[in-house]
């Protein structure tokens, strides 16, 4: 059991701040690849990542796809790495199919794999966490408030065409969150 003195300002604030984050890793998203048409027929080419501010290419990998496999090759520290990723196809509810990758590490199906430790694996294999998992209670409440405000109109007003009951429910939730924020600030002080 923890003593009341143990911890500090971030005590109980979620996961430790030194965890590796999903947001910092390169991601290989099969949904983007499917949208780009890489799985319609056997395809070979380059897949690249760009800096969002400058739009300059930051890194590339060579990709070759077939119906059931995807071969990726890339260079890490002067060493050429080649990986074969098995693909599976799942039927969608309204027709069509969705492509899923099978993680070479744990064999689980996933839509996104991340680059860390010199290879692409799923989030669980690389033990990556989301940035929001490290937020304090106050930070999580602030995010929740912003999410509610985005669903309401400007300055918390009712959007045109919004059902009155829906507006009341969202506004009540906003008031609850604001009270929780005030309580958390008082607790921290």
């Amino acid at each position: 059991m923890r003593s009341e003195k143990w911890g500090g300002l971030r005590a109980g604030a979620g996961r430790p701040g030194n965890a590796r984050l999903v947001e910092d890793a390169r991601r290989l998203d099969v949904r983007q690849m499917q949208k780009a048409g890489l799985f319609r027929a056997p395809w070979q080419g380059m897949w690249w990542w760009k800096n969002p501010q400058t739009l300059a290419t930051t890194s590339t990998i060579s990709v070759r796809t077939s119906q059931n496999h995807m071969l990726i090759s890339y260079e890490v520290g002067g060493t050429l790495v080649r990986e074969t990723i098995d693909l599976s196809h799942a039927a969608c509810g309204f027709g069509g199919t969705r492509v899923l990758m099978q993680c070479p590490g744990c064999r689980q199906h996933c839509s996104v794999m991340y680059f860390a430790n010199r290879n692409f694996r799923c989030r669980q294999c690389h033990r990556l966490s989301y940035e929001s998992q490290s937020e304090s209670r106050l930070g999580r409440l602030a995010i929740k408030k912003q999410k509610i405000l985005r669903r309401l109109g400007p300055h918390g007003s009712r959007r045109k065409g919004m059902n009155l009951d829906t507006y009341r429910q969202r506004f009540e939730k906003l008031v609850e969150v604001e009270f929780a924020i005030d309580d958390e600030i008082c607790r921290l002080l």
Side-chain angles (χ1 to χ4, degrees), residues 126-189:
H126 283 311
R127 298 177 190 259
L128 299 173
S129 62
Y130 294 104
E131 188 174 12
S132 62
Q133 291 175 305
S134 297
E135 283 288 339
S136 66
R137 175 162 165 69
L138 189 59
R140 289 191 309 273
L141 287 169
I143 291 169
K144 193 173 193 176
K145 178 181 175 181
Q146 289 304 314
K147 187 176 179 181
I148 294 169
L149 285 171
R150 279 193 304 270
R151 296 178 77 193
L152 292 173
H155 310 294
S157 64
R158 184 174 156 209
R159 286 185 185 267
K160 183 177 179 180
M162 181 183 281
N163 186 307
L164 186 58
D165 288 337
T166 302
Y167 172 72
R168 285 184 183 141
Q169 288 172 357
R170 290 181 182 168
F171 190 79
E172 287 172 6
K173 190 67 176 170
L174 177 65
V175 171
E176 285 176 28
V177 170
E178 286 179 342
F179 278 130
I181 288 172
D182 291 343
D183 290 344
E184 187 63 21
I185 291 171
C186 289
R187 188 186 71 77
L188 291 172
L189 295 176

Side-chain angles (χ1 to χ4, degrees), residues 5-23:
K5 299 176 192 172
W6 196 58
L9 188 61
R10 286 197 41 84
R15 296 186 183 193
N18 61 357
R20 293 185 308 172
L21 300 177
V22 164
E23 290 83 3

Side-chain angles (χ1 to χ4, degrees), residues 24-52:
D24 297 334
R26 293 249 181 271
R27 52 190 286 143
L28 190 60
D29 192 335
V30 75
R31 297 168 296 196
Q32 289 177 341
M33 297 173 110
Q34 186 173 14
K35 196 174 187 179
L38 273 62
F39 304 112
R40 288 190 199 126
W43 185 87
Q44 183 172 346
M46 299 299 284
W47 190 257
W48 60 87
W49 289 269
K50 293 188 176 216
N51 181 324

